[in-house]
């Protein structure tokens, strides 16, 4: 389940131009490293991540030729790459209208920018986080002017079309989440990601009140099956940009 979107993205990456490194941008613990290595041939495979802990785990795979600690917002590669591959990272960064052309600007002629990002902000799993927080704690949460980091597919198609051939698609993965001992399985899924910025602004008692309301709202939006498991649709946006050679 974890690797599937990365492999779906990689399956759409065309043949790489001859010169240039392969960059795993936001490589994390190197989960995609083995598959990227297979596609890299004799090219160098470089990993970049902002987290020293993640890089330490990526290092133990022994797959990368070099690993760099850096923030995508400021890092740039040592030489024009053949492929920049970024799986489940760039949704953390703002201003995609400037970011994506900047990443494309790194590429060697004929180079490829391949990106996958979760695009779940409009689904009940994530909308209910905002609704519940704003309703229970209006002094701290106002999402009336909130904008998601990830835009609609057509935004990326229009933005990148002047740079080369662009392939944009969205896939909804229907996952079955196992029952959990307390609360709703989807809350256990979101609490380490999308829920974290909200929980950080709450006291322990407030967090408990929030969780109770969010769990109840989730149960209405995503009723559990008789065994306690839940079907959870999760949308991901993909694009592959190939520069002219
Ligand atoms: C969900 S993990 C994905 C890791 C890897 N790409 C994979 O598919 O297994 C997201 C990674 O992005 C990294 N990350 C988040 N924001 C970043 C940034 N601004 N610059 C560099 N890395 C970042 C995190 O440290 C984390 O390792």
């Amino acid at each position: 389940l974890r690797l599937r979107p990365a492999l779906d993205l990689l399956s759409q990456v065309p043949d790489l131009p001859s010169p240039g490194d392969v960059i795993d941008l936001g490589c994390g613990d190197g989960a995609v490293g083995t598959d990227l290595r297979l596609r890299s041939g004799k090219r160098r495979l470089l990993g970049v991540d902002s987290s020293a802990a993640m890089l330490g785990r990526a290092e133990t795979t022994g797959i990368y030729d070099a690993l760099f600690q850096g923030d995508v917002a400021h890092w740039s590669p040592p030489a024009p790459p053949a492929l920049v591959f970024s799986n489940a990272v760039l949704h953390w960064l703002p201003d995609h209208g400037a970011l994506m052309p900047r990443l494309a600007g790194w590429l060697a002629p004929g180079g490829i920018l391949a990106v996958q990002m979760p695009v779940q902000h409009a689904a009940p799993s994530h909308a209910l986080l905002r609704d519940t927080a704003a309703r229970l704690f209006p002094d701290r949460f106002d999402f009336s002017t909130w904008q998601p980091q990830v835009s609609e597919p057509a935004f990326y198609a229009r933005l990148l079309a002047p740079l080369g051939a662009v392939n944009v698609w969205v896939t909804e993965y229907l996952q079955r989440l196992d029952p959990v001992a307390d609360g709703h399985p989807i809350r256990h899924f979101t609490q380490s990601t999308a829920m974290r910025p909200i929980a950080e602004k709450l006291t322990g008692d407030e967090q408990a009140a929030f969780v109770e309301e969010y769990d109840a709202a989730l149960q209405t939006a995503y009723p559990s099956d008789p065994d306690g498991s839940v079907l959870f649709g999760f949308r991901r946006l993909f694009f592959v940009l190939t520069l002219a050679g």
Side-chain angles (χ1 to χ4, degrees), residues 38-219:
L38 287 171
R39 283 302 303 272
S40 301
K42 293 195 184 336
R43 294 174 187 82
R44 293 193 307 165
L45 175 60
L46 313 180
V48 188
D49 204 282
S50 54
S51 159
M54 285 293 181
L55 287 169
R57 290 161 64 184
E59 179 91 62
T60 64
T61 66
I63 286 166
Y64 294 88
D65 294 296
L67 290 164
F68 300 86
Q69 185 170 11
D71 187 324
V72 174
H74 310 294
W75 189 82
S76 55
L83 169 64
V84 174
F85 184 92
S86 189
N87 184 59
V89 178
L90 299 181
H91 57 295
W92 295 112
L93 282 97
D95 194 2
H96 286 187
L99 174 69
M100 302 306 176
R102 186 170 68 78
L103 302 184
W106 292 347
L107 295 169
I112 294 153
L113 173 63
V115 171
Q116 183 275 118
M117 302 176 285
V119 59
Q120 188 67 1
H121 49 265
S125 57
H126 289 53
L128 288 170
L129 283 170
R130 299 190 299 275
D131 294 352
T132 306
R135 188 162 44 77
L136 293 186
F137 309 105
D139 55 321
R140 266 158 290 171
F141 299 100
D142 175 6
F143 296 100
S144 53
T145 58
W146 177 83
Q147 290 288 327
Q149 309 272 43
V150 181
S151 297
E152 288 305 306
F155 169 85
Y156 299 96
R158 290 197 181 99
L159 177 72
L160 300 171
L163 305 178
V166 59
N167 174 13
V168 186
W169 73 101
V170 172
T171 300
E172 179 166 320
Y173 296 90
L174 192 61
Q175 315 175 22
R176 185 172 286 283
L177 300 186
D178 289 334
V180 290
D182 64 306
H184 196 278
I186 293 178
R187 193 249 304 165
H188 285 253
F189 184 98
T190 56
Q191 67 188 3
S192 60
T193 53
M195 194 176 123
R196 200 188 288 163
I198 291 172
E200 281 170 0
K201 293 190 178 142
L202 302 177
T203 66
D205 284 350
E206 288 171 339
Q207 282 181 26
F210 177 85
V211 160
E212 191 178 333
E213 293 271 326
Y214 179 50
D215 274 348
L218 285 173
Q219 184 56 33

